[in-house]
């Protein structure tokens, strides 16, 4: 873990990856990237449109390529899409090229944070959102845990507090000094 110069945030939708990532990048004075925003920037379309046109398989291929490119950089914070870890190649890139922080949250908190968000294609379904989130959690949570260097629960903390907690843990593990 000591050779890793990047911080990659993984976790389910609504865990706060983008918000916490921006806060962390600001505090560490490094560049911040969001893989979903990067896909939107490069395609000129929102994630929902990419899902509609290319399907989830096409979207995941695009996501895998972008995450592979971004993880080759040094000294960045990257917020990933919740499903990126379903790709073995993406898990390998994240694990090998940075410190992976799993931002853990409950399904109840995910629902409260995402219920009005129409930009989440996997939630635009007829079945209840909690059923969708439970199904995703059952499949993805073990994958997040598998690659995580740190696990931080985000339910009852704001973004600044979580970012501070991550920095404190990195300091204790003598990893923060690599940013200076």
């Amino acid at each position: 873990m000591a050779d890793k110069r990047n911080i990659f945030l993984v976790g389910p939708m609504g865990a706060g990856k983008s918000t916490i990532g921006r806060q962390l990048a600001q505090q560490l004075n490094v560049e911040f990237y969001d893989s979903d925003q990067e896909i939107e920037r490069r395609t000129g379309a929102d994630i929902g449109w990419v899902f509609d046109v290319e399907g989830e398989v096409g979207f995941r291929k695009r996501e895998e390529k972008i995450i592979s490119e971004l993880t080759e950089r040094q000294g960045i914070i990257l917020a990933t899409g919740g499903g990126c870890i379903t790709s073995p190649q993406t898990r390998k890139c994240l694990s090998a090229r940075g410190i992976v922080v799993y931002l853990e949250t409950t399904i109840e908190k995910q629902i409260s944070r995402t219920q009005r968000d129409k930009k989440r294609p996997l939630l635009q379904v007829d079945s209840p959102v909690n059923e969708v989130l439970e199904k995703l959690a059952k499949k993805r949570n073990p994958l997040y845990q598998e690659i995580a260097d740190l696990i931080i629960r985000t339910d009852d903390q704001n973004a600044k507090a979580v970012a501070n907690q991550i920095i404190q843990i990195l300091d204790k593990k003598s990893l923060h000094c690599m940013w200076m």
Side-chain angles (χ1 to χ4, degrees):
M1 212 161 62
D3 293 338
K4 298 179 179 181
R5 297 187 53 83
N6 299 313
I7 299 174
F8 305 136
L9 303 176
V10 300
M13 64 182 93
K17 297 179 300 288
S18 298
T19 306
I20 292 163
R22 279 189 285 280
Q23 183 67 230
L24 199 53
Q26 181 183 349
Q27 289 186 39
L28 294 172
N29 196 29
V30 297
E31 287 188 83
F32 170 73
Y33 294 92
D34 179 303
S35 61
D36 284 349
Q37 289 176 357
E38 193 65 18
I39 290 169
E40 289 180 339
R41 187 184 69 75
R42 293 183 188 191
T43 61
D46 67 26
I47 296 297
W49 185 87
V50 176
F51 253 78
D52 287 346
V53 172
E54 299 179 356
E56 186 171 359
V57 172
F59 172 80
R60 296 292 172 212
K61 283 184 181 181
R62 188 180 292 277
E63 179 180 59
E64 188 176 276
K65 180 178 185 261
I66 286 172
I67 289 175
S68 178
E69 288 176 23
L70 291 172
T71 58
E72 288 177 347
R73 298 179 185 207
Q74 290 297 310
I76 69 162
I77 307 295
L78 173 64
T80 62
C84 78
I85 45 78
T86 59
S87 160
Q89 179 61 35
T90 297
R91 289 196 307 274
K92 185 185 285 185
C93 285
L94 293 169
S95 291
R97 299 176 181 166
I99 298 165
V100 179
V101 180
Y102 169 22
L103 299 179
E104 192 177 43
T105 189
T106 62
I107 289 172
E108 294 75 25
K109 192 57 96 168
Q110 283 181 269
I111 290 170
S112 73
R113 291 175 178 166
T114 62
Q115 64 188 349
R116 291 183 185 86
D117 191 343
K118 301 298 181 204
K119 289 188 170 192
R120 299 188 186 264
L122 294 179
L123 294 183
Q124 307 311 310
V125 293
D126 294 330
S127 58
V129 169
N130 63 319
E131 286 179 23
V132 173
L133 294 175
E134 285 170 13
K135 183 178 171 187
L136 292 173
K138 189 173 185 176
K139 178 180 178 184
R140 296 175 179 178
N141 287 355
L143 298 174
Y144 298 134
Q145 291 170 354
E146 172 189 312
I147 66 168
D149 294 306
L150 305 173
I151 299 174
I152 307 287
R153 182 162 287 275
T154 65
D155 287 349
D156 299 319
Q157 300 184 74
N158 64 34
K160 188 172 186 172
V162 174
N164 286 336
Q165 185 179 358
I166 292 168
I167 291 168
Q168 286 174 357
I169 292 169
L170 295 179
D171 276 342
K172 284 181 186 171
K173 294 183 181 236
S174 300
L175 297 173
H176 180 244
C177 61
M178 69 186 165
W179 293 100
M180 299 303 153

